[in-house]
Amino acid sequence: MRNTKQPKTYRVKSFGCQMNVYDGERMGELLTEQGITPAPEGEDADLVVLNTCHIREKAAEKVYSDIGRLTKGKTQKKAPMIAVAGCVAQAEGEEIMARSPAVSMVVGPQAYHRLPEMIDSAVTGKRVTDTDMPADAKFAALPKRRKSAPSAFLTIQEGCDKFCTYCVVPYTRGAEISRPYVALVDEAKMLVDGGAREITLLGQNVSAWSGEDDKGRAIGMAGLIRAIAAIPDVARIRYMTSHPADMDEDLISAHGEVSKLMPFLHLPVQSGNDRILKAMNRSHSAEGYLKLLERFRAARPDLALSGDFIVGFPGETDAEFEDTLKIVDAVGYAQAFSFKYSPRPGTPAATMEDQIPMEIMDERLQRLQASLRRDQQAFNDASIGKTCEVLVERKGKLDGQWLGKSPWLQSVHFTADVAVGDVVTAELIQAGQNSLGARILDSATT
Ligand code: 5AD
Ligand code: SF4
């Protein structure tokens, strides 16, 4: 049954997007500040936070099976206190409470700053649900950032007003909000003070960020990127995920002007067919997307591109799917994510006619992924012989081996006398599907 002992240790298990990884880190920091420490690897945790994702597939079922494993002694010896957080908590919190007596807390993505009070209730045996969505309240209530990995996430924007017809995000994360400029520049400084060299600005619709700078002038994403680039110890900036409709001229120019902004753009297209794009409520055409990429490439010719794709959206014909293969051929993605359409309860597409059978989706996904793999390998092959900077992120599996990232977000492995957080100059000498081998030319550039 439910564990109501005051927890001394915790484990946060995050699923899904980088935003959840960020939220998971912040929940961890909050719990640590309360004197609840991370459970050592391989040991039971007194409190387990399941930080869930609702974007695709049978998300809720996964949560129930995780809860089952935790309570039946399969994941750990003793059943922990359980908190369900994230987007499944937001969407299905009440059902979770009703179906799973072992769950003590259900906490939505905008309410997790209240975890400490919720734990206080849970130890008295009272179960608590908090799925309020106050705009921006949580960030002010979270503790300061202290320690960071060399590559850190910084959520600058949350929620989405785009309402793509397949997507649950506008319902689980709510309306778009932009965090204030000053808070973001401060958090970026704290992250570099704590060891970060690269900052990835996160948001469900990140380029819709808007705010006022410290002089009260209205600025957009590009202005924020320039401000973060002005922090001396920031070596690299990235951002994700963007919608084609919110990419303005200033952001395009920033790719040409701000050397710390890495030559990489994650810009989902979802489909290469205009009828499907319209049914998805994407507000851009295939042609419009390609034209936009041309402008980015004119600003930054070595830009690597990444995208998201959905196959088998309701009503998608074979010919319409072929258009997705065509746009893939036209772009030449350096990497990409591709998914079978998954009906999300409450979204318009879930009740559209002509849901596509699983076998057809499987076949389309295989064909799409074959094209994407081919292009990723081609992109990696074309990198051989290039000299670039690599951010050292962690030790590799082999003795003396290190892993890092190229400016184009490729994983790079090499053997050299370096340390985590160094930025070193490397020659890329060998290309695989998912990573490259490098020779370090100069490790004195940190
Ligand atoms: N089915 C399949 N893929 C989806 N995505 C979002 N919603 C769905 C869905 N219902 C994909 C989109 C989005 C990425 C984060 O997840 O490609 O860009
Ligand atoms: Fe979902 Fe992205 Fe569309 Fe927003 S822009 S509704 S997050 S797919």
Short mmCIF file of all heavy atoms in Angstrom, two decimals, residues 26 143-148 183-196 231:
data_model
loop_
_atom_site.label_atom_id
_atom_site.label_comp_id
_atom_site.label_asym_id
_atom_site.label_seq_id
_atom_site.Cartn_x
_atom_site.Cartn_y
_atom_site.Cartn_z
N ARG A 26 14.99 20.49 -12.10
CA ARG A 26 14.54 21.52 -11.16
C ARG A 26 13.80 20.91 -9.97
O ARG A 26 13.94 21.36 -8.84
CB ARG A 26 13.67 22.57 -11.87
CG ARG A 26 14.35 23.12 -13.08
CD ARG A 26 15.00 24.45 -13.02
NE ARG A 26 15.31 25.12 -11.83
CZ ARG A 26 15.26 26.44 -11.69
NH1 ARG A 26 14.80 27.20 -12.65
NH2 ARG A 26 15.65 27.03 -10.58
N PRO A 143 14.45 26.96 -6.33
CA PRO A 143 15.76 27.40 -5.81
C PRO A 143 16.71 27.82 -6.92
O PRO A 143 16.49 27.52 -8.08
CB PRO A 143 16.29 26.15 -5.09
CG PRO A 143 15.54 25.00 -5.63
CD PRO A 143 14.23 25.51 -6.13
N LYS A 144 17.79 28.51 -6.54
CA LYS A 144 18.80 28.95 -7.49
C LYS A 144 19.50 27.75 -8.13
O LYS A 144 19.59 26.70 -7.52
CB LYS A 144 19.86 29.79 -6.76
CG LYS A 144 19.34 31.12 -6.30
CD LYS A 144 20.52 32.03 -5.98
CE LYS A 144 20.12 33.42 -5.54
NZ LYS A 144 18.98 34.03 -6.19
N ARG A 145 20.01 27.92 -9.34
CA ARG A 145 20.77 26.86 -9.98
C ARG A 145 22.17 26.83 -9.39
O ARG A 145 22.77 27.88 -9.19
CB ARG A 145 20.89 27.10 -11.50
CG ARG A 145 19.64 27.56 -12.19
CD ARG A 145 18.53 26.54 -12.18
NE ARG A 145 18.86 25.18 -12.45
CZ ARG A 145 18.66 24.55 -13.61
NH1 ARG A 145 18.19 25.20 -14.63
NH2 ARG A 145 18.92 23.28 -13.74
N ARG A 146 22.71 25.66 -9.13
CA ARG A 146 24.04 25.60 -8.55
C ARG A 146 25.04 24.83 -9.40
O ARG A 146 26.03 25.38 -9.85
CB ARG A 146 23.99 25.01 -7.15
CG ARG A 146 23.29 25.95 -6.18
CD ARG A 146 23.33 25.44 -4.77
NE ARG A 146 22.20 25.95 -4.02
CZ ARG A 146 22.12 27.18 -3.53
NH1 ARG A 146 23.12 28.03 -3.68
NH2 ARG A 146 21.05 27.57 -2.87
N LYS A 147 24.74 23.56 -9.63
CA LYS A 147 25.69 22.75 -10.41
C LYS A 147 25.10 22.42 -11.75
O LYS A 147 23.91 22.17 -11.87
CB LYS A 147 25.98 21.44 -9.66
CG LYS A 147 27.28 21.49 -8.89
CD LYS A 147 27.62 20.16 -8.30
CE LYS A 147 28.32 19.27 -9.32
NZ LYS A 147 28.35 17.88 -8.92
N SER A 148 25.94 22.42 -12.77
CA SER A 148 25.38 22.12 -14.08
C SER A 148 26.35 21.25 -14.89
O SER A 148 27.57 21.36 -14.74
CB SER A 148 25.13 23.42 -14.83
OG SER A 148 24.78 23.14 -16.15
N ALA A 183 15.20 37.30 -15.52
CA ALA A 183 15.28 35.98 -14.86
C ALA A 183 16.09 35.01 -15.72
O ALA A 183 16.87 34.19 -15.20
CB ALA A 183 13.87 35.44 -14.64
N LEU A 184 15.95 35.13 -17.03
CA LEU A 184 16.64 34.19 -17.92
C LEU A 184 18.13 34.48 -17.99
O LEU A 184 18.95 33.55 -17.95
CB LEU A 184 16.01 34.25 -19.32
CG LEU A 184 14.57 33.75 -19.36
CD1 LEU A 184 13.94 33.99 -20.72
CD2 LEU A 184 14.50 32.27 -18.98
N VAL A 185 18.47 35.77 -18.08
CA VAL A 185 19.90 36.10 -18.13
C VAL A 185 20.55 35.69 -16.80
O VAL A 185 21.65 35.12 -16.78
CB VAL A 185 20.11 37.61 -18.45
CG1 VAL A 185 21.58 37.99 -18.35
CG2 VAL A 185 19.57 37.92 -19.85
N ASP A 186 19.84 35.91 -15.70
CA ASP A 186 20.35 35.50 -14.38
C ASP A 186 20.55 33.99 -14.33
O ASP A 186 21.57 33.50 -13.84
CB ASP A 186 19.34 35.85 -13.28
CG ASP A 186 19.51 37.27 -12.80
OD1 ASP A 186 20.41 37.96 -13.33
OD2 ASP A 186 18.72 37.69 -11.93
N GLU A 187 19.54 33.26 -14.80
CA GLU A 187 19.66 31.79 -14.73
C GLU A 187 20.80 31.31 -15.63
O GLU A 187 21.54 30.40 -15.26
CB GLU A 187 18.33 31.11 -15.11
CG GLU A 187 18.35 29.63 -14.76
CD GLU A 187 17.00 28.93 -14.89
OE1 GLU A 187 15.95 29.57 -14.65
OE2 GLU A 187 17.01 27.74 -15.22
N ALA A 188 20.96 31.94 -16.79
CA ALA A 188 22.07 31.55 -17.68
C ALA A 188 23.41 31.78 -16.97
O ALA A 188 24.32 30.94 -17.04
CB ALA A 188 22.01 32.35 -18.98
N LYS A 189 23.53 32.90 -16.25
CA LYS A 189 24.78 33.18 -15.51
C LYS A 189 25.01 32.13 -14.43
O LYS A 189 26.14 31.66 -14.22
CB LYS A 189 24.72 34.58 -14.88
CG LYS A 189 24.92 35.69 -15.90
CD LYS A 189 24.94 37.05 -15.21
CE LYS A 189 25.03 38.16 -16.24
NZ LYS A 189 24.38 39.40 -15.80
N MET A 190 23.92 31.76 -13.73
CA MET A 190 24.06 30.74 -12.68
C MET A 190 24.50 29.41 -13.29
O MET A 190 25.32 28.70 -12.72
CB MET A 190 22.74 30.54 -11.94
CG MET A 190 22.40 31.67 -10.99
SD MET A 190 20.92 31.21 -10.04
CE MET A 190 19.69 32.27 -10.72
N LEU A 191 23.96 29.11 -14.45
CA LEU A 191 24.32 27.84 -15.09
C LEU A 191 25.80 27.83 -15.47
O LEU A 191 26.50 26.84 -15.23
CB LEU A 191 23.45 27.58 -16.34
CG LEU A 191 22.00 27.20 -16.05
CD1 LEU A 191 21.14 27.24 -17.32
CD2 LEU A 191 21.90 25.81 -15.41
N VAL A 192 26.31 28.91 -16.03
CA VAL A 192 27.74 28.91 -16.37
C VAL A 192 28.60 28.93 -15.11
O VAL A 192 29.65 28.28 -15.07
CB VAL A 192 28.17 30.03 -17.36
CG1 VAL A 192 27.69 29.76 -18.75
CG2 VAL A 192 27.77 31.40 -16.90
N ASP A 193 28.15 29.64 -14.09
CA ASP A 193 28.90 29.62 -12.82
C ASP A 193 28.96 28.19 -12.26
O ASP A 193 29.91 27.81 -11.60
CB ASP A 193 28.27 30.55 -11.77
CG ASP A 193 28.51 32.01 -12.10
OD1 ASP A 193 29.33 32.29 -13.01
OD2 ASP A 193 27.85 32.88 -11.49
N GLY A 194 27.90 27.42 -12.55
CA GLY A 194 27.85 26.03 -12.06
C GLY A 194 28.51 25.04 -12.98
O GLY A 194 28.43 23.83 -12.74
N GLY A 195 29.13 25.50 -14.07
CA GLY A 195 29.89 24.59 -14.93
C GLY A 195 29.40 24.46 -16.36
O GLY A 195 30.02 23.77 -17.17
N ALA A 196 28.27 25.08 -16.70
CA ALA A 196 27.77 24.93 -18.09
C ALA A 196 28.61 25.76 -19.06
O ALA A 196 29.07 26.85 -18.73
CB ALA A 196 26.32 25.38 -18.17
N ILE A 231 27.35 36.89 -22.28
CA ILE A 231 27.90 36.36 -21.01
C ILE A 231 29.22 35.67 -21.35
O ILE A 231 29.24 34.71 -22.13
CB ILE A 231 26.91 35.37 -20.35
CG1 ILE A 231 25.56 36.05 -20.08
CG2 ILE A 231 27.51 34.77 -19.08
CD1 ILE A 231 24.44 35.09 -19.64
#
